[in-house]
Amino acid sequence: MAELIAPIAGNVWKILVAEGDKVELDDEMIILEALKMETPIYCDEGGTVTAIKVKEGDAVNEGDVLAVID
Amino acid sequence: MLDILKDLIFSSGAVSLTGGNIVMWLVAFVLFYLAIKKQYEPLLLLPIAFGILVVNLPLTFLMQPEHGLIWFFYHYGIQFDIIPPLIFLGLGAMIDFGPLIANPKTLLLGAGAQAGLYVTFFAAILFGFDLQEAGSIAIIGGADGPTTIYLTSKLAPHLLGATAVSAYAYMALVPIIQPPMMKLLTTEKERKIVMTKLRPVSRLQKVCFPIVTAMTIMLVVPPAAPLISMLMLGNLFKESGVVERLTNASANELMNIVTIFLGLSIGATMTASTFLNPKVLFIFFLGLFAFVVSTAAGLLMAKLMNLFLRDKINPLIGAAGVSAVPMAARCVHKVGSEANRRNYLLMYAMGPNVAGVIGTVVAAAILLKNLG
């Protein structure tokens, strides 16, 4: 099990995966927006997305869990 | 009847038009295009372009001292030094100094990147500008619009249009000018450096920062007072958390209002006779030179610091030492993520970026003290 962590504070701009999706290393999973700039967050470890902890528009802090991958 | 017609023709602006006016219309149209179509700093370029256009319509006397509408905006807003400090109040209410407080070393990068100013100051003198003009041109290297306007209006008001437009132009062109410099002066390996996590900053530290900084800077360089006091007041509003209405008023309503008068007045200083002058081309050239040298100095300063640091910093963040907030930090983030997609430099770059704002104000104050 791996957690996708927000590396930077910002707002959740787009969520590109859904629960149950298969993801691979380096897939773009979520796009955060900080200082009017879109920052894609990449998958660190392949697997199945078991939970998405945020929704579009949420404000997140650095270190928050965005999604869980099994 | 014929007389009335004749009178109408001769009192119309059209007969007083000069070729220079028409060239200035073209400058205004280019800026309209950049602002509306390309969205380069539209909040400023749009009123500036309109100011240029209307002041180059003859016989409107909009900039005539003691009479013209825009002259009053210019006189009370800029010559009286009201508007640039109010812009700084709004900036203070928007800027988060957290990344600088978490990593105070980055203050050195904000200071290092001011090197371009001093190099350009001497270069401008070699080009035949006088000391006051050279100071106003050099400050463009800080890529800080309000500071450039503040200093130029004190030292060399006849250059105001040119220095202001080039400062804002280079701020907008950060994503084009900086990346080639960044790639030239850093290695792939350096760009890949992932920085150690920033320590959390407490609320107490954030509240104390504007107070302590305001006191320190004003005691050391008193001429920085108008800009620094407003910047830090805005920041104190924000960080205190108890005057949200004042924070919002500073950052939004007041900022937007003064931006209109600032842009329009700056544009209106650009009449054909002041702007169509070979000196202006040199100003744009020297401004670009200042900006490039400042970027290089920031990058090299970061590399120098890495010789002494155990936890290496990514030297790209040095380029954010110019004070174009947050364009330079965004640019660092982008170049960093191209080298290593798991590199998120944005917040690390905000440290030198906000330090750059302070650095440029201090540099302006030093120039003002010695040349004013």
Side-chain angles (χ1 to χ4, degrees):
Chain A
M1 202 172 87
E3 288 176 330
L4 186 71
I5 305 285
I8 192 172
N11 292 309
V12 179
W13 180 246
K14 277 187 186 128
I15 298 176
L16 304 170
V17 292
E19 286 179 14
D21 282 4
K22 291 244 183 299
V23 289
E24 287 173 21
L25 180 71
D26 285 349
D27 280 356
E28 264 184 43
M29 292 185 61
I30 284 177
I31 300 178
L32 293 183
E33 182 264 342
L35 292 174
K36 293 186 187 141
M37 192 169 68
E38 293 172 30
T39 299
I41 313 299
Y42 300 95
C43 178
D44 296 312
E45 200 181 313
T48 307
V49 180
T50 53
I52 291 177
K53 303 280 192 186
V54 291
K55 53 184 193 304
E56 289 180 8
D58 282 0
V60 294
N61 283 317
E62 189 184 343
D64 286 0
V65 177
L66 301 173
V68 182
I69 299 160
D70 218 343
Chain B
M1 185 68 200
L2 206 64
D3 282 345
I4 297 174
L5 198 63
K6 216 193 245 169
D7 197 44
L8 195 67
I9 290 172
F10 283 102
S11 65
S12 77
V15 286
S16 307
L17 267 182
T18 62
N21 289 139
I22 292 169
V23 175
M24 292 311 293
W25 294 359
L26 294 177
V27 172
F29 292 140
V30 169
L31 295 182
F32 280 139
Y33 172 78
L34 292 178
I36 299 169
K37 186 77 185 166
K38 295 277 179 183
Q39 302 204 2
Y40 284 162
E41 299 282 318
L43 296 175
L44 277 151
L45 279 191
L46 204 56
I48 288 179
F50 199 77
I52 296 174
L53 184 67
V54 295
V55 82
N56 283 289
L57 297 170
L59 309 183
T60 53
F61 302 118
L62 285 168
M63 273 304 269
Q64 190 184 6
E66 310 290 348
H67 289 284
L69 173 71
I70 303 180
W71 181 84
F72 285 108
F73 297 161
Y74 171 71
H75 184 63
Y76 294 110
I78 295 176
Q79 286 185 319
F80 275 20
D81 296 327
I82 306 283
I83 292 179
L86 287 181
I87 300 253
F88 262 64
L89 178 72
L91 276 181
M94 289 194 266
I95 288 182
D96 178 5
F97 283 102
L100 176 61
I101 304 170
N103 195 359
K105 288 191 293 290
T106 56
L107 198 58
L108 286 174
L109 298 172
Q114 308 307 320
L117 271 65
Y118 294 98
V119 174
T120 308
F121 177 68
F122 293 108
I125 292 169
L126 286 181
F127 273 91
F129 289 95
D130 67 31
L131 292 176
Q132 283 74 20
E133 291 173 334
S136 306
I137 295 165
I139 202 76
I140 299 170
D144 184 329
T147 308
T148 304
I149 291 165
Y150 181 80
L151 188 69
T152 310
S153 72
K154 295 230 172 206
L155 292 183
H158 56 290
L159 301 182
L160 192 57
T163 57
V165 169
S166 69
Y168 282 110
Y170 298 136
M171 279 165 80
L173 293 175
V174 161
I176 296 167
I177 300 169
Q178 285 203 317
M181 295 294 299
M182 293 156 100
K183 286 175 187 162
L184 186 69
L185 291 173
T186 56
T187 62
E188 178 82 21
K189 195 168 155 242
E190 286 173 325
R191 291 199 290 278
K192 285 190 167 150
I193 295 175
V194 173
M195 292 181 55
T196 45
K197 212 167 169 309
L198 288 175
R199 68 174 177 84
V201 176
S202 71
R203 174 157 178 249
L204 180 67
Q205 287 172 316
K206 283 192 170 186
V207 173
C208 290
F209 179 83
I211 300 172
V212 173
T213 310
M215 290 174 67
T216 314
I217 293 184
M218 286 191 277
L219 284 172
V220 179
V221 264
L227 293 176
I228 282 294
S229 61
M230 288 295 115
L231 183 71
M232 292 303 156
L233 177 63
N235 194 244
L236 184 60
F237 283 165
K238 171 177 180 279
E239 300 301 351
S240 70
V242 292
V243 288
E244 203 179 325
R245 289 159 48 146
L246 302 186
T247 310
N248 290 339
S250 311
N252 302 317
E253 291 87 356
L254 187 58
M255 181 83 144
N256 293 341
I257 291 167
V258 297
T259 300
I260 296 172
F261 295 113
L262 179 76
L264 196 57
S265 311
I266 295 292
T269 63
M270 291 158 73
T271 54
S273 53
T274 58
F275 196 75
L276 295 178
N277 174 334
K279 271 189 165 178
V280 169
L281 275 182
F282 282 116
I283 292 172
F284 280 96
F285 168 74
L286 285 166
L288 178 64
F289 174 73
F291 186 61
V292 166
V293 177
S294 286
T295 303
L299 290 163
L300 295 174
M301 185 73 183
K303 291 174 76 136
L304 180 70
M305 282 166 66
N306 265 352
L307 297 177
F308 303 97
L309 292 174
R310 200 151 39 86
D311 291 329
K312 302 293 180 206
I313 57 174
N314 188 313
L316 289 176
I317 68 168
V322 299
S323 53
V325 174
M327 297 79 143
R330 277 188 209 145
C331 186
V332 168
H333 181 80
K334 200 156 165 287
V335 175
S337 65
E338 278 165 16
N340 172 359
R341 62 165 68 185
R342 286 194 170 68
N343 215 350
Y344 302 94
L345 293 174
L346 190 60
M347 286 305 151
Y348 302 101
M350 282 308 281
N353 211 181
V354 296
V357 176
I358 299 176
T360 304
V361 172
V362 171
I366 293 170
L367 287 168
L368 190 59
K369 193 173 161 193
N370 292 308
L371 305 174

